[in-house]
Amino acid sequence: MQSNKPSQPKYPSGVYLPHLTSKTFLRGELVVPGDKSISHRAVMLGALAHGKTRIRHFLQGADCLSTISCFRRMGIRIDQNEEEVIIHGKGLHGLTAPDKALDCGNSGTTMRLLSGILCGQPFHSRLTGDASLCRRPMGRIITPLRMMGADIESEAQNQCAPLLIQSAPLHGIRYTSPVASAQVKSALLLAGLYADGDTSVTEPYISRDHTELMLSRFGGIIRRSGNSVCVAPFPTLEGQEITVPGDISSAAYFIAAGLLLPGSRIVLKNVSINPTRDGILKVAKAMGGNIKTENISHNHGEPTADLVVTASSLEGTQIGGDIIPTLIDELPILAVMAAFARGTTVIRDATELRVKESDRIQVMTDNLRAMGCDVEATSDGMIIRGGNPLHGAVIPSHKDHRIAMSFAVASLLADGETQILDKECVDISFPTFYQALAHLSCS
Ligand code: S3P
């Protein structure tokens, strides 16, 4: 991290997030951690490819470390240091039976994508995770994987993890998914690598496309048409050199803080602006946010840019429809932006928020209300009447990293002190989050 800015406040190490004065603002440059979705996929495809895959700017967060540990347990050598992760791939047929359950921790991406791969293996496996992951819906992958012939079931027959997978021959299918979910799409595309014919997935709206981009890059045969994507079975995948772009979902907290804190001007370096992920930029600009993109570069279909964020006065907006999958993980921080923007913001078509690491509609509503915000939960979103001053509060994060980071930003704008419970859950996707905030904060 580099910066060029006036004096920096000292952050105490206790549980309280320090209350910064109303004169606090952000200045400087920040390199945000690597993209979580791309980091997971680089490990998975690296393991299924022949030869070495070298990954730079890999996200060393708990979720991606869960993916690494699952592949190590299946016989893949993975070397790791601060600079890079090297996967010694063994090809599509190189995984070996794990000697015990594969622990996906808190990571839905690990569990759902890995399930697709495991359905194609000649050994049986059991996937488990933490309490939050074991409450999340797995029927959305179990049903279509079974349509492919997979032998996968929920151990407790409740459509949740732990999942049990036995060896079975897979058939290519044409699946129309009821949800726009990259995890569902990717599970089927990865299972499709082991099927007896092409596998295609059609979504109601296009979800993040990192799996299809990365599969093509490794040598997979992918065809895309409208909202559909099709994979051919048994490609020969070759190891790659990958530099993971900065995660726009992690940049989002700094975009919000930079826009909301008067006097701020920050540069977020080398952030992914993949069009299936950049909804936050569109909405923030529609709210009146001053965000400029500089130094755009393209890397195997994954564009990146430096984002220059300048404090702005924000207004409420409407968020719904096909933009939702492109900002699904940013809705908690967008709700915080809406709470400090003038006027009403309506979020709709976001029922998926209810089945994330927490029920993010309920948790955001309860926590914003605890800070004095006029907010209402709806079945598929929230109505936020913003612009009134908020006050500090005790904020249960429910161990949901995106809730903790969203309220860390809210605390900078609220009067008084805010205590975020289980604030260390940011380790899931952004282990250096509080240091990064301290690094950019000035008063
Ligand atoms: C992800 C897809 C999204 C997102 C999650 C990561 C991925 O989930 O919310 O954080 O890497 O594929 P859904 O596929 O459930 O929408």
Side-chain angles (χ1 to χ4, degrees):
M1 291 185 285
Q2 315 136 28
S3 79
N4 171 17
K5 58 190 182 64
S7 71
Q8 218 177 304
K10 292 274 173 291
Y11 275 57
S13 57
V15 273
Y16 283 87
L17 202 79
H19 171 60
L20 305 178
T21 70
S22 54
K23 292 199 184 84
T24 296
F25 55 97
L26 301 190
R27 280 288 163 94
E29 283 187 3
L30 181 70
V31 178
V32 296
D35 186 272
K36 180 156 82 71
S37 296
I38 295 177
S39 296
H40 281 298
R41 287 154 171 84
V43 174
M44 293 181 184
L45 294 185
L48 301 182
H50 292 280
K52 275 189 207 168
T53 288
R54 190 181 294 272
I55 313 170
R56 297 199 179 80
H57 204 48
F58 178 81
L59 172 62
Q60 307 266 2
D63 271 12
C64 298
L65 297 180
S66 292
T67 293
I68 285 188
S69 88
C70 289
F71 279 91
R72 281 193 175 134
R73 197 161 281 291
M74 292 188 288
I76 300 296
R77 177 175 154 205
I78 301 177
D79 303 329
Q80 224 179 327
N81 61 44
E82 275 188 14
E83 294 298 306
E84 59 186 17
V85 171
I86 299 170
I87 317 286
H88 299 262
K90 299 210 294 193
L92 280 183
H93 304 286
L95 301 179
T96 52
D99 56 358
K100 61 177 195 181
L102 295 165
D103 185 355
C104 304
N106 188 248
S107 174
T109 307
T110 308
M111 181 166 284
R112 295 194 178 114
L113 272 60
L114 191 52
S115 293
I117 294 171
L118 290 172
C119 286
Q121 304 307 313
F123 50 78
H124 69 262
S125 45
R126 178 171 182 269
L127 285 110
T128 187
D130 70 8
S132 152
L133 185 54
C134 290
R135 282 192 297 269
R136 297 181 65 186
M138 293 296 148
R140 56 181 57 197
I141 57 161
I142 294 174
T143 302
L145 286 170
R146 281 203 187 144
M147 288 164 69
M148 294 180 75
D151 185 342
I152 174 169
E153 64 175 345
S154 151
E155 193 173 83
Q157 304 294 323
N158 62 355
Q159 306 286 302
C160 292
L163 301 178
L164 300 174
I165 299 175
Q166 310 280 343
S167 171
L170 300 184
H171 313 296
I173 58 166
R174 293 159 73 90
Y175 183 63
T176 300
S177 175
V179 279
S181 159
Q183 294 180 357
V184 171
K185 172 175 65 179
S186 303
L188 298 190
L189 295 177
L190 291 169
L193 298 177
Y194 297 91
D196 62 3
D198 290 356
T199 299
S200 81
V201 184
T202 303
E203 306 184 272
Y205 301 123
I206 298 179
S207 64
R208 64 191 66 192
D209 62 357
H210 307 301
T211 302
E212 38 278 49
L213 287 172
M214 202 179 284
L215 261 173
S216 297
R217 180 171 176 185
F218 272 80
I221 300 149
I222 296 284
R223 290 192 310 277
R224 300 208 268 181
S225 158
N227 291 6
S228 301
V229 54
C230 179
V231 67
F234 297 109
T236 301
L237 304 179
E238 297 291 348
Q240 299 292 312
E241 300 260 327
I242 294 172
T243 300
V244 179
D247 196 328
I248 193 168
S249 299
S250 298
Y253 305 98
F254 293 91
I255 293 173
L259 292 176
L260 290 170
L261 290 165
S264 298
R265 187 178 183 282
I266 53 173
V267 182
L268 304 169
K269 303 289 287 177
N270 198 37
V271 176
S272 164
I273 52 163
N274 176 318
T276 63
R277 295 285 300 282
D278 70 351
I280 177 146
L281 300 181
K282 294 182 179 128
V283 170
K285 286 178 189 169
M287 293 175 86
N290 180 347
I291 306 174
K292 300 221 160 19
T293 37
E294 292 180 350
N295 299 326
I296 296 178
S297 84
H298 293 269
N299 193 348
H300 299 269
E302 292 283 4
T304 59
D306 296 342
L307 305 179
V308 183
V309 180
T310 309
S312 310
S313 139
L314 300 184
E315 308 222 332
T317 190
Q318 309 271 324
I319 312 174
D322 61 0
I323 200 168
I324 292 290
T326 73
L327 48 65
I328 188 73
D329 292 340
E330 289 66 77
L331 284 168
I333 188 63
L334 279 166
V336 167
M337 284 165 65
F340 292 100
R342 260 183 303 134
T344 300
T345 293
V346 180
I347 300 171
R348 54 169 76 90
D349 304 319
T351 319
E352 278 294 297
L353 286 182
R354 294 208 179 269
V355 291
K356 294 294 180 188
E357 287 83 331
S358 66
D359 175 345
R360 289 181 177 161
I361 293 180
Q362 199 55 50
V363 172
M364 285 305 299
T365 304
D366 291 346
N367 286 342
L368 281 174
R369 208 172 268 157
M371 294 181 103
C373 179
D374 180 354
V375 52
E376 215 178 291
T378 61
S379 61
D380 66 346
M382 277 171 268
I383 301 170
I384 301 154
R385 295 176 193 88
N388 296 321
L390 300 192
H391 52 76
V394 174
I395 299 295
S397 67
H398 297 261
K399 300 188 181 168
D400 180 337
H401 53 136
R402 304 216 183 275
I403 299 293
M405 291 188 276
S406 296
F407 282 92
V409 172
S411 79
L412 301 181
L413 287 125
D415 293 325
E417 215 156 41
T418 292
Q419 185 189 6
I420 297 176
L421 304 181
D422 299 308
K423 73 179 172 71
E424 63 287 347
C425 64
V426 302
D427 285 355
I428 295 290
S429 63
F430 199 158
T432 54
F433 173 74
Y434 298 110
Q435 291 94 306
L437 200 53
H439 164 76
L440 292 178
S441 298
C442 308
S443 52

